[in-house]
Amino acid sequence: MESIATMHDDIKEILFTEDRIRERLAALGAEIAKDYEGDHLVLMALLKGGVVFISDLMRQIPLKLDIDFIQPSSYGDATNSSGVVDIKMFPKIDFAGKRLLLLDDILDTGRTLKRVKTLLEEKGAVDIRTCVLLDKKARRVVEIEADYVGFHVDDFFVVGYGLDFADLYRNLPYIGVLKEACYASEDGAES
Ligand code: IMP
Ligand code: MG
């Protein structure tokens, strides 16, 4: 049976501990609360990677707010997106009077977040900002910068705290670098 100990064996190095993430989210939440005070804020997470992030971040934002979800699917192998982004699940939301903050686990090439943002604008959203837990700037292919960033990260493939490899490791409580041996021969295509 898979246990946290065996998952942990696949991690080369821990980059962000639970404590460090908690501290950073408290600061990020306070900043967001200040910026959106008095407004109708909707936190919208990209599934599945943004699930842990939204769960913790929303409790650090002491405003009346809505949460919602959108599920993109990008095709490619388990460590690279191909650039083709479809929407598997679109939120049923009336955007009138609402300010949207899109949350994702990581900004990598930028294709996913840019495409999701464009699609939401086409559906009538006029006030969209973005917030990512991690920014892997060195990998950017399309022009997009997040309005809020948790941490900057070098070009390593990381897992944990919502981030997956082939849909595994999302439940690790910290963020770590996956050992190359774990993904050398695998295939997958989840967001
Ligand atoms: P992008 O479209 O290339 O920016 O890809 C964004 C998506 O790729 C994220 O939402 C993640 O699901 C995934 N991704 C990119 N880098 C990593 C990583 O280092 N670990 C796990 N998933 C990643
Ligand atoms: Mg993913």
Side-chain angles (χ1 to χ4, degrees), residues 2-4 6-8 10-11 16 18 21 45-56 69-74 77-79 88 103-106 112 133-134 157-176 178 187-191:
E2 190 75 36
S3 70
I4 194 102
T6 56
M7 276 202 290
H8 186 74
D10 295 347
I11 302 302
F16 304 105
E18 285 183 80
I21 296 170
L46 274 67
L47 293 173
K48 302 173 190 172
V51 138
V52 184
F53 186 34
I54 192 173
S55 303
D56 284 349
F69 299 92
I70 184 165
Q71 184 166 22
S73 58
S74 44
D77 62 32
T79 57
K88 280 192 202 169
L103 304 184
D104 203 6
D105 51 1
I106 188 166
T112 308
L133 180 60
L134 302 178
F157 193 79
V158 292
V159 293
Y161 201 82
L163 291 137
D164 73 302
F165 166 72
D167 245 352
L168 300 174
Y169 305 101
R170 295 191 200 274
N171 54 324
L172 273 178
Y174 54 79
I175 295 169
L178 189 63
D187 239 30
E190 283 299 322
S191 284

Side-chain angles (χ1 to χ4, degrees), residues 25-176:
L25 262 54
L28 209 52
E31 194 185 334
I32 292 167
K34 199 165 140 252
D35 293 350
Y36 285 90
E37 196 174 358
D39 297 335
H40 190 153
L41 170 63
V42 180
L43 293 180
M44 187 178 288
L46 274 67
L47 293 173
K48 302 173 190 172
V51 138
V52 184
F53 186 34
I54 192 173
S55 303
D56 284 349
L57 184 64
M58 69 172 150
R59 286 176 288 174
Q60 298 299 328
I61 306 174
L63 300 177
K64 284 187 187 171
L65 54 79
D66 282 354
I67 62 162
D68 218 321
F69 299 92
I70 184 165
Q71 184 166 22
S73 58
S74 44
Y75 303 94
D77 62 32
T79 57
N80 285 289
S81 64
S82 67
V84 182
V85 181
D86 281 345
I87 303 294
K88 280 192 202 169
M89 200 264 301
F90 215 92
K92 291 181 187 67
I93 173 176
D94 175 5
F95 294 107
K98 291 173 191 161
R99 303 188 66 191
L100 225 58
L101 184 58
L102 281 177
L103 304 184
D104 203 6
D105 51 1
I106 188 166
L107 191 53
D108 189 40
T109 66
R111 289 173 175 132
T112 308
L113 205 55
K114 181 138 191 173
R115 179 95 179 110
V116 167
K117 200 176 166 198
T118 303
L119 287 168
L120 287 165
E121 281 164 353
E122 284 171 12
K123 296 267 183 186
V126 289
D127 185 344
I128 307 179
R129 286 184 178 179
T130 54
C131 173
V132 293
L133 180 60
L134 302 178
D135 186 356
K136 216 194 266 182
K137 231 184 167 117
R139 294 251 311 163
R140 203 78 87 253
V141 169
V142 299
E143 218 176 289
I144 181 168
E145 293 307 327
D147 297 291
Y148 302 91
V149 172
F151 302 103
H152 290 273
V153 67
D154 290 334
D155 188 8
F156 299 118
F157 193 79
V158 292
V159 293
Y161 201 82
L163 291 137
D164 73 302
F165 166 72
D167 245 352
L168 300 174
Y169 305 101
R170 295 191 200 274
N171 54 324
L172 273 178
Y174 54 79
I175 295 169

